[in-house]
Amino acid sequence: MKTRRQILEDCIVRGSLLAGVATMSQTQLLAFWQQGEAQAGKPTSTEVLGPFFRKGAPNNTNMRVSGDPGFPLRVSGQVSNTKGQKVQGVKIDIWQADHVGLYDVQGYRYRTKLDVESASEYVLETILPGHYDDRPAQHIHYMITAPGHKTLITQAYFATDPFFEGDPAKNYKKRGMVSSPELVRNVNLFEGPGQPRATIQFDICLEKA
Ligand SMILES: [Fe+2]
């Protein structure tokens, strides 16, 4: 099995923008995308809160500090509800492990509470989270609140993660890890000046309270 680093390096060498494509057949990829499309209008699947949530994170759209080890990642998305409406007054707690799979349990490194503007879109600069033994797929935790809507606790995963062995549509069930394949997002990889960067889009669909 290739390591995450090998997969990323292969993609950079090939100049592939869709890192997930490197290990997925066209049929698999199409099926995976169609699953995502079918999800439109359905509430985002829930996941466990986990033991590492901390209240009180600052509103910080750039969790990556210059010189941070770890692969730069931009996460963006829209927040809507099952009626297809943009949602106002959204707040998103996001927390994740650092590049070696450790959470900051004393302070607020790789933790933020975003105040989403009226356009219902968010953008966050961070790094790809590392793996840790208890939950061996890379993930980012989310808790989303908005007036008139149910609180949503979920997680974003990465299609390029070696955990999914190139087939997240099938392997998301491995070890009961992921509640739904739509939480596993395609990873776009860009070779920017200086340093390559990964991006994922993680849209959120809330249920009315
Ligand atoms: Fe976690």
Side-chain angles (χ1 to χ4, degrees):
M1 190 174 76
K2 286 189 173 184
T3 64
R4 175 171 55 118
R5 184 179 184 88
Q6 284 167 333
I7 291 170
L8 288 170
E9 281 172 355
D10 284 357
C11 292
I12 293 166
V13 170
R14 288 182 208 167
S16 169
L17 290 181
L18 270 172
V21 174
T23 50
M24 294 166 82
S25 73
Q26 268 194 330
T27 317
Q28 282 172 334
L29 190 68
L30 196 61
F32 190 52
W33 273 342
Q34 281 169 341
Q35 253 168 349
E37 296 275 305
Q39 195 65 26
K42 293 182 188 165
T44 301
S45 297
T46 59
E47 291 265 292
V48 295
L49 179 68
F52 296 114
F53 173 66
R54 285 194 78 203
K55 278 185 182 174
N59 177 3
N60 180 11
T61 58
N62 185 8
M63 303 201 292
R64 191 174 68 238
V65 176
S66 174
D68 265 6
F71 199 91
L73 170 72
R74 176 177 294 168
V75 184
S76 63
Q78 284 200 330
V79 184
S80 59
N81 62 25
T82 51
K83 311 269 183 208
Q85 300 158 331
K86 289 182 177 177
V87 180
Q88 307 298 313
V90 176
K91 292 190 190 302
I92 311 180
D93 263 292
I94 295 178
W95 65 106
Q96 67 169 82
D98 68 10
H99 69 295
V100 292
L102 294 174
Y103 286 87
D104 180 3
V105 293
Q106 309 287 332
Y108 292 99
R109 285 293 285 137
Y110 300 114
R111 298 175 183 275
T112 185
K113 184 167 189 171
L114 301 176
D115 224 334
V116 181
E117 303 294 332
S118 54
S120 300
E121 292 174 356
Y122 73 95
V123 181
L124 177 65
E125 300 291 343
T126 183
I127 57 165
L128 274 170
H131 294 83
Y132 61 95
D133 288 344
D134 285 350
R135 295 186 58 74
Q138 296 165 290
H139 58 275
I140 297 179
H141 293 269
Y142 279 72
M143 179 157 61
I144 305 108
T145 60
H149 294 78
K150 292 182 185 171
T151 296
L152 174 71
I153 295 168
T154 190
Q155 295 174 34
Y157 297 86
F158 302 84
T160 46
D161 189 338
F163 178 85
F164 298 114
E165 300 175 75
D167 191 355
K170 178 176 149 219
N171 291 329
Y172 77 93
K173 296 177 198 158
K174 237 171 79 180
R175 296 184 55 177
M177 186 72 205
V178 184
S179 65
S180 173
E182 106 267 358
L183 300 178
V184 187
R185 306 308 304 162
N186 280 316
V187 180
N188 296 311
L189 199 60
F190 298 95
E191 263 191 293
Q195 197 172 26
R197 168 169 60 80
T199 67
I200 63 166
Q201 185 168 353
F202 191 71
D203 293 334
I204 293 154
C205 185
L206 298 177
E207 279 183 279
K208 292 243 187 194

